[in-house]
Amino acid sequence: MPISTELETPVAATAAAEPEGALEPELDAINAVVYVIESSYNHRDQDNRPASEEALVVDEGWFADHASADARCVQLNARNRAYYDTSMATKERNHNALIRVAEKKNLEAAAIRSAGLPKADVAVPPAFAPETFEKFFSGSNHTTYAPIPIRRSDHDGIARAATV
């Protein structure tokens, strides 16, 4: 193996040691992607059309990766799921109470018919079928949360625009 007689400068040696796609640390910090939580408030406007208002929720924090931001969004969206679950449980209890009342009236009607008087049965409601989560929230005001990627340069532009 021949020995090279050319001397490398420190800059050339550093450039040769770095991978081809590496950025300078300062440029890498500007282009670095962080995740922030965006809230979407879904409601009906004055003309009763579905509308949505989006806003960044910087108070919830800045996340280095999508998984941690998504985990926080799941926690925030859990309130909607808990509300849905309790609403459906309430509707199911009310539905079951209607079934018990109908069954009781039908027993009374059967006893009256057995005594020789005409009495019609009451229709028993069908089994309870809960609304889907999406349908339940489509008709009401609610807020959903989702992680969105944002670069530092984008945030700086947003921050400057907000202060003007």
Side-chain angles (χ1 to χ4, degrees):
M1 175 184 302
I3 298 176
S4 172
T5 56
E6 294 181 24
L7 295 176
E8 283 189 276
T9 63
V11 174
T14 306
E18 290 183 7
E20 196 172 306
L23 297 174
E24 296 177 19
E26 187 176 304
L27 289 177
D28 195 28
I30 291 172
N31 291 324
V33 174
V34 294
Y35 293 87
V36 65
I37 296 174
E38 179 182 52
S39 69
S40 295
Y41 176 63
N42 302 291
H43 60 95
R44 297 243 172 220
D45 64 6
Q46 293 176 347
D47 297 327
N48 202 26
R49 290 179 294 195
S52 181
E53 296 175 17
E54 286 82 20
L56 293 180
V57 188
V58 294
D59 295 342
E60 291 298 332
W62 298 84
F63 301 91
D65 62 346
H66 186 270
S68 57
D70 193 43
R72 181 61 183 144
C73 288
V74 167
Q75 290 172 346
L76 293 171
N77 287 325
R79 289 183 262 176
N80 288 340
R81 179 53 89 170
Y83 176 62
Y84 167 77
D85 290 340
T86 55
S87 296
M88 288 301 112
T90 301
K91 287 183 179 185
E92 185 174 16
R93 282 193 304 274
N94 293 340
H95 184 79
N96 291 338
L98 290 175
I99 290 174
R100 284 192 302 274
V101 167
E103 289 172 345
K104 181 180 175 186
K105 287 184 178 181
N106 287 339
L107 288 174
E108 291 171 357
I112 291 173
R113 279 194 311 273
S114 69
L117 297 172
K119 177 76 174 178
D121 283 340
V122 175
V124 177
F128 179 74
E131 285 181 280
T132 62
F133 183 74
E134 293 77 18
K135 184 177 179 187
F136 177 75
F137 277 111
S138 67
S140 64
N141 299 344
H142 64 283
T143 303
T144 57
Y145 301 91
I148 60 166
I150 189 169
R151 290 191 317 266
R152 180 179 174 182
S153 58
D154 293 338
H155 173 261
D156 291 344
I158 293 168
R160 278 194 298 275
T163 59
V164 173

